[in-house]
């Protein structure tokens, strides 16, 4: 099993540019989560999907952030335009929804630096 | 609303000594409780979880955690620490009527050789 795959692993961009982060969940999992981790704020849940449908996006910081899941094997998190305060590590995780006790499997993360 | 607290930002333990990483929670109803570990430059890895049943849960790498309902705690423990246990540890909780897991801020564990 390849686990959760994220790309790119590292991204350096300039303020104002569009950034797209990609995630491939574990095959067969039907829940997908996007998290952001910073030293100041810790691990924050941005949005999560169940069966490709966004269930809760209350953690998305503002309209510059958007996420899609066009099919069960792919999701994107887009930031447009990017700002220096968006610099963080972004994690994608997936799970097999089983009523609340499911284990989440995390990808290796994308380290984003916005200059 | 559900919440989870890890009162210690950092815990230092000598190698070979027992370790405890603390976690307390607040939910309505019976909780689902989790511990995850994060090694440098890696994603979080699942360690163990409590859903129901025996209050003492055993997990990966020799770790265990004890669910204490009266104290609303779920402390992570290991009888003998290894230097390789040095990492960032996250406690997480989900209430029975909540639809997402909430993670604590994390506790950095340093095992001193």
């Amino acid at each position: 099993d390849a686990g959760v795959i994220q790309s790119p692993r590292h991204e350096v961009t300039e303020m104002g540019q569009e950034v797209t982060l990609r995630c491939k969940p574990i095959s067969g999992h039907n829940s997908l989560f996007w998290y952001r981790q910073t030293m100041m704020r810790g691990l924050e849940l941005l949005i999560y999907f169940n069966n490709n449908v966004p269930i809760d996006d209350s953690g998305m910081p503002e309209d510059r952030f958007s996420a899609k899941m066009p099919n069960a094997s792919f999701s994107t998190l887009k930031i447009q335009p990017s700002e220096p305060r968006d610099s963080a590590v972004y994690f994608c995780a997936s799970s097999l929804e089983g009523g609340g006790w499911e284990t989440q499997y995390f990808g290796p993360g994308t380290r984003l630096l916005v200059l | 609303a559900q919440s989870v607290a890890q009162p210690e930002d950092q815990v230092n333990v000598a190698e070979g000594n027992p370790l405890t990483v603390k976690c307390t929670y607040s939910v309505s109803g019976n909780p689902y409780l989790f511990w995850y570990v994060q090694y440098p430059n890696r994603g979080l890895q699942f360690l163990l979880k409590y859903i129901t049943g025996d209050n003492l849960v055993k997990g990966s790498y020799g770790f265990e955690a004890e669910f204490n309902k009266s104290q609303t705690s779920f402390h992570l423990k290991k009888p003998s620490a290894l230097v390789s246990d040095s990492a960032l540890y996250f406690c997480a909780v989900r209430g029975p009527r909540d639809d997402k897991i909430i993670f604590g801020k994390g506790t950095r564990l340093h095992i001193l050789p």
Side-chain angles (χ1 to χ4, degrees):
Chain A
D1 193 336
V4 176
I5 299 172
Q6 291 187 247
S7 64
R9 292 294 308 277
H10 302 273
E11 177 81 26
V12 180
T13 190
E14 293 185 344
M15 182 174 62
Q17 296 298 307
E18 177 180 295
V19 175
T20 300
L21 310 181
R22 297 173 176 80
C23 175
K24 176 179 170 56
I26 292 173
S27 177
H29 284 189
N30 60 356
S31 291
L32 184 140
F33 308 81
W34 281 102
Y35 291 90
R36 177 173 68 176
Q37 186 179 35
T38 62
M39 289 292 291
M40 292 297 295
R41 301 173 68 92
L43 192 66
E44 303 172 276
L45 177 65
L46 300 177
I47 185 171
Y48 82 94
F49 296 83
N50 185 252
N51 293 323
N52 311 338
V53 176
I55 302 300
D56 186 342
D57 65 354
S58 60
M60 295 287 261
E62 48 197 276
D63 291 345
R64 297 185 297 106
F65 285 69
S66 62
K68 294 182 179 179
M69 191 165 187
N71 57 62
S73 58
F74 184 66
S75 177
T76 60
L77 178 67
K78 186 175 294 186
I79 308 172
Q80 167 62 22
S82 59
E83 297 182 2
R85 60 192 168 123
D86 301 331
S87 298
V89 181
Y90 291 81
F91 289 103
C92 175
S94 70
S95 71
L96 183 60
E97 178 68 26
W101 50 82
E102 68 277 8
T103 298
Q104 293 187 20
Y105 294 84
F106 282 73
T110 295
R111 189 173 295 274
L112 174 64
L113 177 61
V114 183
L115 303 174
Chain B
Q2 57 184 359
S3 66
V4 59
Q6 295 181 242
E8 304 154 316
D9 290 336
Q10 182 169 311
V11 172
N12 297 323
V13 177
E15 185 178 23
N17 283 3
L19 69 86
T20 299
V21 183
K22 296 179 180 177
C23 172
T24 59
Y25 66 89
S26 175
V27 299
S28 298
N30 295 321
Y32 304 134
L33 295 157
F34 307 81
W35 276 101
Y36 285 79
V37 60
Q38 184 180 28
Y39 298 102
N41 301 314
R42 302 286 294 276
L44 277 68
Q45 297 178 33
F46 170 77
L47 271 182
L48 52 81
K49 64 184 175 185
Y50 171 84
I51 304 302
T52 186
D54 194 346
N55 289 344
L56 184 63
V57 179
K58 294 187 182 297
S60 306
Y61 311 121
F63 284 94
E64 59 188 28
E66 186 168 12
F67 170 59
N68 187 317
K69 189 172 183 177
S70 63
Q71 297 186 6
T72 62
S73 67
F74 190 57
H75 301 332
L76 182 70
K77 300 181 179 183
K78 186 173 182 179
S80 179
L82 300 172
V83 173
S84 57
D85 293 330
S86 299
L88 186 58
Y89 290 80
F90 291 91
C91 182
V93 66
R94 176 174 171 167
R97 287 178 287 279
D98 299 306
D99 59 1
K100 59 188 178 185
I101 293 173
I102 300 297
F103 284 85
K105 291 193 174 296
T107 298
R108 190 163 297 280
L109 178 64
H110 286 286
I111 307 301
L112 309 171

